[in-house]
Amino acid sequence: MITIKLINDYFQFSFQKKCCAKVYLTPGRYFLFPFTTGCCLKKRLDYHTKNKVELFKRDLKGKLSLSSKFRDALNVAFDMVDLDSNGKLSQDEMNLYTFITSNEDIPVKEWEFLGDLVGFEKNELTKKSFIELHQIEANQKDLDMNEIMSRLSNLGFNRSLKIDQSFPFIINVFSETSEFNLLLSEIYNIKESERFLKEILEPKSLSYPIKDLPNVYILIHSNKIWSVILIQNMSRKNINLEIDCSESQNCVSLTNDLISVIHVKSKKTKVAMYLLNLDSKKDVDIRCKPKIID
């Protein structure tokens, strides 16, 4: 059993347009758990999808090749899933790519086939080979443009091949004194990620009973940057709730109208909404109205 304890004693500062945190740690094992709230990502407007960029170009012989903008997008996509920044993709990192783009994993035999097809470097896929895979796909008879565009959309690209629905970031870890080992754990276990977050946030949240719903509580945790709203269902029934935070002040959420509909199973807790402070110098006024729905 792993006991999770949040480290609160750290110094946060900005340096060369980078967000930095300095923490003093005693010897032991620690989890570095990065996540984004998604609050700055908005529903894509119509004009973001009008200027469609062609993914391929055809030469005089009729053979398709990648357009320069599609190649640039693939370079960005590769860097997004190259989590250790070594310029190559391991099978786990490639699994992350296929999980995000098509909700699939790559079986061992298929991974070996990719190696035979484009070549590996120490059992990892180079950026050149990654792009070559898409070049091979371009000349397949059953090429599906809509499927390729769907994969790019799942990565956060719009039809102009600009990222507007995801937020790639890089984390660098340094030590001033002793050496350390940084190990990559499971990279797309969503249920484990939610459990990890809830174990951290639940004890730090203020709890309020929900009227007309016995044993159901709304939990709110806030700091100077963001807030989170959780629903704790300790009853014996599954419930569907609408969480209306539209009257809140100085905050923005992933939903444009600050309204979320969630399903919470019996004896479970679920994140209902993240809220990001618009102005860190002003107070945030969070007002939520939970309503049971059929």
Side-chain angles (χ1 to χ4, degrees), residues 84-250:
D84 56 7
S85 299
N86 70 342
K88 295 175 286 186
L89 299 185
S90 65
Q91 185 176 356
D92 278 346
E93 289 170 328
M94 191 62 182
N95 271 335
L96 175 61
Y97 174 77
T98 56
F99 176 78
I100 294 173
T101 56
S102 55
N103 198 29
E104 295 177 351
D105 285 337
I106 299 179
V108 174
K109 289 186 178 180
E110 188 173 333
W111 177 250
E112 293 172 349
F113 172 77
L114 291 181
D116 294 336
L117 186 64
V118 296
F120 283 151
E121 187 176 305
K122 295 182 179 180
N123 200 38
E124 293 187 316
L125 191 69
T126 64
K127 183 178 287 189
K128 180 180 178 182
S129 297
F130 177 77
I131 293 176
E132 187 179 343
L133 283 175
H134 292 81
Q135 177 59 58
I136 293 172
E137 183 181 24
N139 290 286
Q140 292 179 345
K141 292 182 179 180
D142 57 348
L143 177 66
D144 189 338
M145 295 287 191
N146 290 329
E147 181 183 342
I148 296 174
M149 197 61 234
S150 175
R151 296 202 301 259
L152 291 169
S153 178
N154 289 340
L155 284 166
F157 290 90
N158 60 28
R159 290 165 67 92
S160 300
L161 297 188
K162 302 291 185 182
I163 291 182
D164 63 358
Q165 294 294 301
S166 65
F167 188 77
F169 58 91
I170 297 174
I171 295 178
N172 293 312
V173 183
F174 304 94
S175 175
E176 292 182 344
T177 54
S178 58
E179 295 182 357
F180 65 94
N181 293 319
L182 191 63
L183 302 176
L184 185 65
S185 61
E186 289 187 74
I187 52 183
Y188 55 97
N189 192 327
I190 297 175
K191 289 185 177 180
E192 277 299 300
S193 299
E194 289 182 352
R195 182 192 66 81
F196 190 85
L197 275 174
K198 286 185 290 188
E199 287 195 32
I200 291 174
L201 296 172
E202 277 189 67
K204 300 170 66 67
S205 302
L206 298 176
S207 178
Y208 306 94
I210 297 179
K211 186 178 179 180
D212 299 327
L213 283 177
N215 300 316
V216 181
Y217 305 89
I218 184 166
L219 310 180
I220 301 178
H221 168 69
S222 298
N223 57 40
K224 293 182 179 180
I225 301 174
W226 57 277
S227 305
V228 62
I229 299 167
L230 305 100
I231 301 299
Q232 186 180 60
N233 180 15
M234 303 306 294
S235 70
R236 296 182 180 181
K237 297 181 179 180
N238 299 338
I239 57 172
N240 293 309
L241 283 178
E242 178 187 86
I243 310 300
D244 184 350
C245 299
S246 58
E247 295 182 5
S248 300
Q249 301 295 320
N250 190 35

